[in-house]
Amino acid sequence: MRNHILTSAIALAAALSSPALARPMTEVDLATLNRVAAPAASPDGRWVAFQMTETAQGSYKRSTGLWLVDRNAKNAAPVRVADVPEKNESAPAFHPDGNLYFLSNASGKSQIWRVDPKVGGGAAQVTDTKADVSGFKISPDGTKLLAWGDIARECTEFGCDAQDKGELPGPGTGRHYKNDVGFVRHWDSWETPGTYSRPFVFNLDGGKATTPRAVDAGLTGDSPSKPFGGGEELAWGADSRTVFFTLRKADKDEPRSTNLDIYSWLVDSRMMPVNLTADNQATDTLPTPSPDGKWLAYAAMARPGYEADRQVLMLRNLASGETKKLTEAWDRSVGSIAWAPDGKALYVTAQDVLDHPVFRVNVNSGKVEKLKATTEQWEGNVNDVTPLPGGALLYSRNSVAVPTDLWTRDAKGKVTRLTDVNRAQLSDIDPVKVDRLKFAGANGETVWGQIVKPVNSAGKLPVAFLVHGGPQGSFGNSWSTRWNPRLFSAPGYAAVSIDFHGSTGYGQAFTDSINRDWGGKPLEDLQLGLAAAGKQDAAIDTANACALGGSYGGYMMNWIAGNWPDGFKCLVNHAGVFDLRAMAFETEETWFDEWDHGGPWWERTDAEKWNPVNHVTKWKTPMLVIHGEKDFRIPYSQSLAAFHALQRQGVEGELLVFPDENHWILKGQNSVQWYQTVFGWMGKHLKK
């Protein structure tokens, strides 16, 4: 699979010119579509490198490689670069000299390599460390590398033979944790005491990395933060001597804290890292230094313990230390930050109603302007925004209808598509129609949703009623490799989703409104939303519907079972909370549970009000229950309890458990099994 050459643009066009019968999208399509990520531009903006993951038909074996496209060439097709069969290459980054650096496991470990993309040929290994390299950044002058990986705290180099990792010796396999530890397990992994995600600086000498020095001297914690932090949490200063990094302090209070801080460290000085955000006990992240080195932009939350608080764009004068809230008056949460080359503006992304567009923020005034384009290919879900010379932008984009590809927007707003990596496969699949839904929800407030259905569908369509997780999230205009509305519509359903109270993209007050109200306004919105969808589209049969949800959406399936028992023909509950009391004591990141429900269990004023287990005797709707055994966010025992409740009361139910998955279903063959099981369940209970 990895050895073939990308079909040329001419050959591809010829193949697509042959007529073909369209067909419904399948779960195999979703699992095997190519996945584009991590675009990087050369210093002159001509070359764009990106990683693409391919999945083999049948075996579902995945491999990731690097591709390169020349922006100056007419109708240029991406070509492979630095490809080693049976190995993976990822995370491309251009050196100032034009060489392409990247991660590869070609040596048996994850290390940094480099190649001259204009010459091609074999790649050269840059690092050779005992620990795997998880990520890296090149200094602006090209003389240093900032790299990070999981390394024992006592290691002074990038990995060592340290034996003492905090575990007590003994003859058995038991893990032994003392009372002063924080996380015992996190997301899907048991913690190894004393090992953290740690950044190091290397010198670059002749294309080789030498002399590793720890950046986090005197600090104990993860940088980047776990489980989802990455390169966006670390940055080089313009002087190539200063490193900015986000660190999550590791101590016994960590499971209850959302306090991330941004530090600066002067490379090769004897000074300790300086905490730039010590006064804020909530999240500070996304450090982004200005091109002239005078300013540090970053995002900050205001309320400790709240992971879904609004992220305000901050601007710090690095000389004086003076900080101002640049977007305090803008009721949106900043998701990414990039400086314009002239330093006069910042480009940020943010959820906005059902889209995730890019905005330009004036550095002096704080004025926020949503960028426009000369085509419609600007809405949807925009990410990976990279300013290019001449005022252009490189970015990735997807929507509820199409997966991710790369685009550019010039200074005048003209949009150009750089990649179309799934063109052949998508051209053979039935298109979908996407409509937006707007109605008066709980408290008479405006609520939005979407209806996705096959084009040219006939007759009344059964409904796949999708409820998003989070709960502070959105089923917006974006592509998902897990919960995919386009795929849910493929068997002849109308996939309907509602951004209920608590969703993101509608202002912070709307997001906050779900606090201590999990079963209140959101359920009312879902009931009103389903009715509004049926009223807006007469082809939707709202009386012939199955509701499906994961995480909080799974909680809502348990809640619906007891509080809307006549609403649906069937339910699908993936990793849902069944008993809030057990959840409060079993989940790992307790800040989330305690913020949303009013503190630890014994301090809640009405702890049982929204607990699904209290309504279990009213259950009668058939329910499919799904969970991953490696899920530590919502332990799989919650789904075992729900399934047992179905069995014990004689309610029709099925249980699907994945021993090798966490809170999400990520592996190709498991995704196919997941959808096959879900579609089989829906087909059994819904009339076509």
Side-chain angles (χ1 to χ4, degrees):
M1 178 181 67
R2 293 295 305 281
N3 294 325
H4 73 277
I5 304 299
L6 182 71
T7 306
S8 70
I10 296 176
L12 181 59
L16 293 178
S17 66
S18 302
L21 295 176
R23 58 174 177 79
M25 183 179 178
T26 70
E27 59 274 10
V28 174
D29 292 317
L30 182 64
T32 57
L33 285 168
N34 295 325
R35 302 181 181 185
V36 169
S42 60
D44 61 2
R46 174 178 177 179
W47 301 92
V48 173
F50 61 94
Q51 70 181 51
M52 185 167 74
T53 299
E54 299 169 280
T55 305
Q57 295 277 353
S59 69
Y60 300 104
K61 182 179 179 181
R62 286 183 174 145
S63 57
T64 301
L66 300 183
W67 299 77
L68 191 70
V69 60
D70 182 357
R71 290 182 59 222
N72 290 351
K74 186 177 181 179
N75 299 322
V79 295
R80 286 190 186 274
V81 60
D83 182 32
V84 177
E86 303 301 321
K87 300 297 180 180
N88 291 306
E89 298 83 33
S90 62
F94 281 94
H95 190 278
D97 66 9
N99 277 308
L100 183 66
Y101 282 57
F102 57 94
L103 291 180
S104 173
N105 62 349
S107 67
K109 292 188 296 185
S110 177
Q111 296 292 312
I112 303 171
W113 293 65
R114 62 181 172 85
V115 68
D116 186 338
K118 296 183 292 296
V119 175
Q125 189 170 339
V126 176
T127 59
D128 185 11
T129 59
K130 290 185 177 181
D132 285 333
V133 178
S134 299
F136 70 95
K137 292 203 168 184
I138 305 169
S139 64
D141 65 5
T143 64
K144 302 178 187 69
L145 277 176
L146 172 64
W148 56 92
D150 287 351
I151 300 169
R153 188 68 191 84
E154 57 265 40
C155 294
T156 56
E157 296 193 354
F158 203 94
C160 62
D161 295 324
Q163 298 297 318
D164 181 13
K165 296 181 180 179
E167 298 159 297
L168 296 182
T173 59
R175 304 182 185 95
H176 192 129
Y177 299 92
K178 297 181 180 179
N179 196 46
D180 59 353
V181 302
F183 286 117
V184 171
R185 59 183 188 174
H186 200 185
W187 188 245
D188 59 6
S189 302
W190 288 89
E191 291 291 305
T192 301
T195 295
Y196 307 97
S197 179
R198 300 181 58 203
F200 282 68
V201 166
F202 295 77
N203 290 339
L204 272 179
D205 185 6
K208 293 288 186 179
T210 64
T211 325
R213 291 92 80 197
V215 172
D216 61 345
L219 302 174
T220 300
D222 289 300
S223 180
S225 62
K226 291 186 176 182
F228 304 122
E232 73 282 355
E233 294 187 353
L234 303 97
W236 280 103
D239 60 2
S240 296
R241 296 185 62 228
T242 307
V243 170
F244 298 93
F245 63 99
T246 305
L247 183 132
R248 179 178 179 81
K249 183 180 178 182
D251 58 20
K252 64 182 179 61
D253 296 323
E254 187 177 10
R256 299 184 297 277
S257 171
T258 59
N259 185 21
L260 277 68
D261 281 314
I262 297 174
Y263 293 79
S264 66
W265 181 62
L266 190 61
V267 177
D268 294 334
S269 72
R270 295 185 178 182
M271 298 173 58
M272 291 281 292
V274 178
N275 189 342
L276 301 180
T277 59
D279 291 339
N280 184 25
Q281 298 303 302
T283 293
D284 300 285
T285 189
L286 308 180
T288 312
S290 62
D292 62 8
K294 296 179 179 180
W295 303 91
L296 179 70
Y298 64 98
M301 296 182 183
R303 289 173 283 183
Y306 187 19
E307 67 178 7
D309 199 10
R310 181 166 63 109
Q311 290 198 152
V312 174
L313 180 63
M314 310 290 290
L315 196 61
R316 179 185 179 94
N317 185 312
L318 290 172
S320 67
E322 182 181 356
T323 302
K324 62 179 179 179
K325 300 177 180 179
L326 203 57
T327 60
E328 176 68 10
W330 184 46
D331 197 10
R332 291 294 183 266
S333 188
V334 170
S336 66
I337 306 170
W339 281 90
D342 61 8
K344 296 180 180 180
L346 290 149
Y347 296 105
V348 304
T349 58
Q351 189 75 31
D352 186 43
V353 187
L354 295 169
D355 294 308
H356 188 262
V358 62
F359 300 84
R360 186 180 187 273
V361 183
N362 185 285
V363 168
N364 292 324
S365 67
K367 180 183 177 181
V368 180
E369 174 191 6
K370 181 179 176 180
L371 290 192
K372 305 295 183 183
T374 55
T375 77
E376 295 180 357
Q377 303 298 329
W378 188 243
E379 302 300 326
N381 182 33
V382 175
N383 283 296
D384 304 306
V385 177
T386 304
L388 302 175
L393 292 178
L394 167 69
Y395 61 95
S396 65
R397 175 190 172 271
N398 60 57
S399 73
V400 73
V402 293
T404 300
D405 269 300
L406 301 183
W407 304 72
T408 59
R409 174 191 184 273
D410 68 17
K412 296 181 180 179
K414 181 183 178 182
V415 168
T416 302
R417 185 171 193 156
L418 283 184
T419 66
D420 197 357
V421 301
N422 291 297
R423 182 184 176 195
Q425 192 168 352
L426 289 175
S427 68
D428 191 37
I429 297 173
D430 291 332
V432 292
K433 184 175 187 292
V434 182
D435 290 319
R436 298 197 171 192
L437 177 67
K438 182 181 179 182
F439 62 95
N443 297 333
E445 296 175 318
T446 299
V447 176
W448 290 81
Q450 287 186 136
I451 303 170
V452 181
K453 62 182 186 179
V455 170
N456 299 324
S457 57
K460 283 277 193 177
L461 295 180
V463 175
F465 194 55
L466 307 177
V467 182
H468 71 69
Q472 295 89 355
S474 172
F475 250 138
N477 187 16
S478 63
W479 186 263
S480 173
T481 57
R482 296 182 292 112
W483 288 79
N484 189 285
R486 177 171 180 173
L487 178 53
F488 273 110
S489 73
Y493 300 135
V496 178
S497 59
I498 304 298
D499 272 3
F500 48 81
H501 277 76
S503 299
T504 53
Y506 307 92
Q508 194 59 42
F510 192 87
T511 301
D512 293 347
S513 65
I514 197 173
N515 186 260
R516 308 188 195 190
D517 193 30
W518 269 30
K521 291 187 293 294
L523 178 62
E524 186 177 351
D525 288 340
L526 294 173
Q527 293 171 326
L528 293 169
L530 183 59
K535 184 177 181 180
Q536 176 171 306
D537 190 336
I540 295 177
D541 186 358
T542 59
N544 186 25
C546 183
L548 313 90
S551 193
Y552 172 83
Y555 159 90
M556 185 52 72
M557 296 306 104
N558 288 325
W559 188 249
I560 284 173
N563 293 274
W564 193 8
D566 297 312
F568 300 95
K569 301 296 185 182
C570 62
L571 302 171
V572 177
N573 165 15
H574 178 101
V577 177
F578 171 77
D579 182 359
L580 284 173
R581 179 172 183 166
M583 173 70 177
F585 290 97
E586 292 175 354
T587 191
E588 16 82 288
E589 291 182 355
T590 55
W591 69 72
F592 154 71
D593 180 79
E594 293 186 2
W595 180 274
D596 271 33
H597 301 297
W601 183 264
W602 51 89
E603 291 182 3
R604 299 176 188 179
T605 56
D606 200 354
E608 298 285 358
K609 184 176 182 180
W610 307 118
N611 198 348
V613 71
N614 295 330
H615 302 271
V616 74
T617 58
K618 293 179 282 186
W619 285 20
K620 61 181 182 180
T621 310
M623 182 189 293
L624 169 63
V625 184
I626 310 175
H627 220 116
E629 284 187 25
K630 296 174 67 177
D631 186 354
F632 300 154
R633 181 58 41 88
I634 300 177
Y636 69 86
S637 55
Q638 293 276 320
S639 284
L640 293 180
F643 182 60
H644 179 72
L646 294 166
Q647 286 183 303
R648 189 66 180 85
Q649 298 182 104
V651 179
E652 183 183 358
E654 292 182 8
L655 175 67
L656 176 62
V657 177
F658 291 93
D660 53 348
E661 297 284 10
N662 55 33
H663 198 53
W664 302 332
I665 304 302
L666 301 175
K667 297 183 178 180
Q669 67 272 26
N670 290 342
S671 174
V672 170
Q673 184 184 8
W674 191 97
Y675 271 103
Q676 288 176 345
T677 305
V678 169
F679 285 153
W681 181 254
M682 296 173 69
K684 179 181 179 181
H685 293 94
L686 298 181
K687 297 178 181 179
K688 289 292 183 71

